Amino acid sequence: MKNLTLNKSLLILSITLLSSISIAQEVDFSGEWRPLFHEDAPERGPGPHFGDFTALPINDEARMRGESYQPDRISVVTEYICRPHGADYSMRGLSYMRVQRETDPRSQQVVAFKTRMGWNNMERTIWLDGRAHPPAGTAHTFQGFSTGVWNGNILTITTTHLKESYHRRNGIPSSSERTFTEHWMLHDNYLTVVTVIDDPVFFTEPLVRTQDWVYDPSFRIDFFNCDYSEELPINPDNLVPNYLPGENPYLTEFAENYRLPMKGVSGGAETMYPEFRKNMGPLIGDAQFCSTEECD
Amino acid sequence: MKKINNIINGIMTLLFSMSLIQSVNAQEENLSLLHVQDQVYMLYGADVNITVQIGENSLVFVDSPDPAIIPAMMAMIREVSDRPVHYLITTHLDPLHVAGNEIIETLGDNSGVGIFRPDSSVAVGGASAGVTILSHENVLNRFYLTENDIPSLTITNTYYSKKKDFFENDEAIIVYHMPNAHTDGDSIVYFRNSDVISTGDIFTPGLYPDIDLELGGSINGLIDALNFILDLIVPGPFAEGGTYVVPGHGRIGDEIDVVEYRNMVYIVRNRIKNLMENGANLEDVLASDPTFDYDTEYGGVRGGPSNIEFIRSVYLSLQRDME
């Protein structure tokens, strides 16, 4: 009787273990994914307003970088023209995404997911075979180095070795020391990706965002080509457009046009939370682009 | 009293020696030989990055490390190659970058029969042990003509024009002089087939530049040098890869890494220049904190010049230009 109980227990344990392994590997993100833009559409589509640093946990250094940034820089400095997004930002872009599953031909275990975005040929490998991240001193890349582990049917990805890039496309920089964690979750035909970015140089606390995708087998990614063009007839001094401290005339434009508090649009961790509304300071401007009752 | 002083001195010497040993051990533990591209590798983890071209014929070094870690460095290289050293290029006069010159010189083809030059501090236009140790002429000039903390310097050949080139391991190697940048004797080394540039201390990601005004460095020369490096670089598709860059300190980079660094130097220079044109003196400039937004990224947390040292060097360099 005892043996029977023991055998039953072992059987249940085995089934549980096997099923959990099975569940972990059943999730296949392969396929073609169309991004949904119901979150942060104005920022992710046409791009952020100049001086809109709202809801980013930036420190004073990042804010000063944003305030001295001139948008001309990304065209005058020709090296920027074909620059792709960083891997953390690329998940928020306009691009479709293709995910492919790589399997080891012998073990048939999944060793990696490969992603490709529809803009600037951004390709990324998410290793699932337990390999270590590269040593210090190696080159960083825009897509970084990613490894993933399963937490049940959620894929948790850690990415390091990123190049300096941007948290927001209006001059808020992201450092090459940042890392980010993603949690990929599948709900029927919808993929939700939670991104947690740690930037010890420019953030005072992590930035948490989500992106959603819908399965769309009808689309195809074309090859993307990019060649830089010189947009100034001459640039003898290798100009790097920037505003001197205190001389950027456009910093209040966003707050004024939407009748917002300057304290809010200047960003900082406190601006990420609802409680900020209690102490956000006076609204400014004529609400030129404001269309809600709250602006009146 | 004298006895007590002697004991204290002895203890201090012992502690100093222990700290040096710890430093060497720490460096050895952190050492790694990283493959950069094609024939070029970078020794990382010492006080200074060392570039090594490892070919079928020989080894070519750019800069030499602390002699204490050369055995560990060579052990790593010997896992890849058993070839002798034929060239060592010294990028500039700096104790960290020239410390191992004398030992590297013994690793050439003739190392078994000794070194025949009577005075290892004199450039003789040749290589007695089969190792040419090359620098710009100003490295040697500064070594002899200025006060410095380098006890001896082994250089066997110098150049004094814009560039010097040679061919080794089936590869063209071009040494360019970068006038008045970090010093007035800076060289960068371009491995043309491997498509790798070794920059010395002109490019040090994560660190403010060390503009050595006493050795002829200048802020505008530094920016010119960074722009020259950017002109040499051809990036791979989508601004990634292509020409790789080995910095004097810090991780391997490519074009965008140099761009970000150049932009920082350019923007800080412009801020300080603007303040000076509006009558600010050095105290005013320091008080205005013109590097505030770059301090966490570059400001001395990993060594290198502090923000104050950087601001001061930029100010004095611009002041010299304005006079």
Side-chain angles (χ1 to χ4, degrees):
Chain A
M1 186 64 187
K2 266 188 182 175
N3 277 347
L4 189 62
T5 309
L6 181 64
N7 285 343
K8 262 187 180 175
S9 302
L10 284 172
L11 183 65
I12 291 166
L13 181 65
S14 303
I15 290 169
T16 308
L17 284 172
L18 284 171
S19 62
S20 67
I21 291 167
S22 172
I23 286 169
Q25 297 198 343
E26 269 179 5
V27 179
D28 182 2
F29 299 107
S30 302
E32 323 291 347
W33 297 94
R34 176 163 49 87
L36 298 172
F37 290 104
H38 58 279
E39 292 171 297
D40 307 321
E43 179 195 340
R44 297 171 65 183
H49 288 268
F50 199 40
D52 172 13
F53 310 144
T54 314
L56 290 175
I58 54 173
N59 59 19
D60 291 341
E61 299 187 17
R63 187 176 298 107
M64 185 170 168
R65 291 266 193 114
E67 289 173 354
S68 67
Y69 177 74
Q70 266 199 29
D72 288 352
R73 195 182 300 170
I74 56 171
S75 53
V76 172
V77 178
T78 54
E79 290 90 348
Y80 282 140
I81 290 175
C82 292
R83 175 178 58 160
H85 296 315
D88 44 351
Y89 196 95
S90 73
M91 298 300 283
R92 295 181 69 71
L94 291 166
S95 304
Y96 277 68
M97 176 170 68
R98 173 187 298 149
V99 182
Q100 289 173 294
R101 190 166 68 160
E102 302 276 320
T103 53
D104 182 295
R106 291 183 65 129
S107 68
Q108 287 301 300
Q109 297 298 301
V110 181
V111 292
F113 282 113
K114 294 202 168 186
T115 66
R116 184 185 173 97
M117 315 301 281
W119 180 73
N120 267 3
N121 298 357
M122 292 182 291
E123 288 187 324
R124 183 176 165 214
T125 302
I126 298 154
W127 295 103
L128 303 174
D129 57 359
R131 69 181 60 197
H133 284 236
T138 51
H140 287 207
T141 61
F142 286 108
Q143 302 311 312
F145 189 91
S146 300
T147 54
V149 294
W150 293 103
N151 288 312
N153 57 5
I154 297 174
L155 180 62
T156 296
I157 303 163
T158 303
T159 301
T160 61
H161 291 73
L162 292 153
K163 272 189 189 301
E164 185 164 336
S165 186
Y166 36 80
H167 288 301
R168 191 168 279 173
R169 285 180 289 151
N170 57 6
I172 296 297
S174 60
S175 80
S176 60
E177 293 177 36
R178 77 191 185 285
T179 58
F180 72 101
T181 307
E182 291 160 276
H183 304 284
W184 286 34
M185 291 164 272
L186 202 58
H187 303 283
D188 296 328
N189 283 338
Y190 292 90
L191 169 65
T192 297
V193 176
V194 179
T195 308
V196 183
I197 305 170
D198 287 292
D199 190 334
V201 176
F202 294 120
F203 282 170
T204 58
E205 60 183 78
L207 175 64
V208 183
R209 298 191 286 207
T210 59
Q211 295 80 221
D212 290 288
W213 311 74
V214 62
Y215 183 63
D216 182 358
S218 66
F219 95 93
R220 51 179 284 190
I221 289 180
D222 293 324
F223 182 76
F224 199 93
N225 204 7
C226 181
D227 189 20
Y228 74 87
S229 304
E230 291 175 328
E231 299 195 10
L232 286 182
I234 50 169
N235 186 9
D237 299 324
N238 289 290
L239 185 71
V240 181
N242 69 99
Y243 286 109
L244 292 166
E247 293 192 7
N248 186 340
Y250 304 110
L251 284 178
T252 58
E253 190 178 77
F254 172 63
E256 287 170 353
N257 286 346
Y258 288 89
R259 193 157 168 73
L260 296 166
M262 268 311 292
K263 192 178 168 187
V265 302
S266 298
E270 66 277 16
T271 66
M272 297 193 299
Y273 300 105
E275 300 78 34
F276 176 72
R277 295 188 66 158
K278 293 175 189 166
N279 299 303
M280 66 184 185
L283 310 179
I284 65 168
D286 57 7
Q288 187 182 346
F289 298 112
C290 208
S291 59
T292 69
E293 288 179 1
E294 287 178 49
C295 298
D296 299 326
Chain B
M1 188 64 186
K2 197 176 175 185
K3 202 171 180 180
I4 293 172
N5 279 343
N6 285 342
I7 291 169
I8 291 171
N9 285 339
I11 291 170
M12 294 299 286
T13 306
L14 182 65
L15 289 173
F16 180 65
S17 305
M18 285 169 68
S19 71
L20 281 181
I21 290 167
Q22 281 177 344
S23 168
V24 169
N25 288 343
Q27 282 192 70
E28 284 184 359
E29 281 172 18
N30 293 327
L31 280 185
S32 52
L33 187 65
L34 304 174
H35 186 213
V36 182
Q37 188 155 252
D38 203 355
Q39 297 194 104
V40 177
Y41 293 72
M42 178 177 96
L43 182 83
Y44 181 75
D47 288 336
V48 58
N49 289 336
I50 305 299
T51 308
V52 199
Q53 183 217 39
I54 301 178
E56 286 193 3
N57 193 41
S58 72
L59 306 176
V60 176
F61 280 88
V62 180
D63 289 332
S64 65
D66 183 341
I69 66 160
I70 288 181
M73 174 182 81
M74 291 310 298
M76 288 177 183
I77 292 171
R78 288 299 176 226
E79 288 180 12
V80 185
S81 168
D82 62 354
R83 306 309 299 153
V85 180
H86 278 186
Y87 287 91
L88 162 59
I89 299 127
T90 290
T91 58
H92 61 286
L93 186 64
D94 182 330
L96 288 179
H97 292 253
V98 302
N101 281 19
E102 204 169 339
I103 292 179
I104 298 286
E105 191 188 26
T106 66
L107 303 175
D109 283 308
N110 305 329
S111 58
V113 291
I115 297 169
F116 300 109
R117 271 186 302 106
D119 180 351
S120 65
S121 296
V122 177
V124 294
S128 64
V131 181
T132 294
I133 304 182
L134 175 72
S135 75
H136 188 267
E137 179 79 2
N138 284 346
V139 170
L140 216 55
N141 289 341
R142 291 288 181 179
F143 173 68
Y144 283 114
L145 301 177
T146 61
E147 282 189 15
N148 57 70
D149 50 0
I150 300 172
S152 68
L153 177 66
T154 305
I155 299 287
T156 68
N157 198 6
T158 62
Y159 72 105
Y160 49 84
S161 52
K162 287 181 182 174
K163 69 169 187 174
K164 159 111 182 157
D165 51 36
F166 57 96
F167 200 83
E168 186 71 13
N169 294 317
D170 286 329
E171 175 159 31
I173 299 172
I174 310 166
V175 183
Y176 293 98
H177 179 222
M178 299 286 104
N180 305 104
H182 165 52
T183 69
D184 63 5
D186 295 321
S187 295
I188 63 167
V189 184
Y190 181 32
F191 296 90
R192 196 159 72 178
N193 287 10
S194 296
D195 205 7
V196 174
I197 303 169
S198 183
T199 68
D201 279 357
I202 287 169
F203 170 55
T204 54
L207 304 176
Y208 280 131
D210 179 6
I211 302 167
D212 194 329
L213 300 172
E214 298 296 317
L215 292 182
S218 72
I219 179 63
N220 289 327
L222 181 76
I223 292 173
D224 288 345
L226 289 165
N227 285 327
F228 182 83
I229 291 168
L230 287 171
D231 283 345
L232 274 185
I233 290 173
V234 179
F238 302 100
E240 195 114 74
T243 309
Y244 279 97
V245 181
V246 176
H249 306 265
R251 65 180 162 79
I252 298 165
D254 61 15
E255 184 184 61
I256 283 291
D257 297 298
V258 181
V259 165
E260 298 294 355
Y261 191 79
R262 186 278 312 269
N263 290 357
M264 175 274 292
V265 177
Y266 178 99
I267 287 169
V268 170
R269 189 272 311 263
N270 278 16
R271 288 176 184 172
I272 294 173
K273 189 177 173 195
N274 177 261
L275 289 165
M276 293 172 73
E277 286 169 350
N278 285 291
N281 61 25
L282 179 57
E283 281 184 6
D284 300 329
V285 171
L286 286 168
S288 78
D289 212 353
T291 60
F292 173 79
D293 47 341
Y294 293 102
D295 284 348
T296 303
E297 193 171 3
Y298 299 98
V301 287
R302 302 170 201 81
S306 67
N307 59 334
I308 291 172
E309 288 166 327
F310 176 46
I311 294 167
R312 186 182 164 81
S313 67
V314 174
Y315 177 92
L316 294 175
S317 175
L318 291 173
Q319 188 180 51
R320 197 166 59 187
D321 291 348
M322 289 173 181
E323 285 171 359

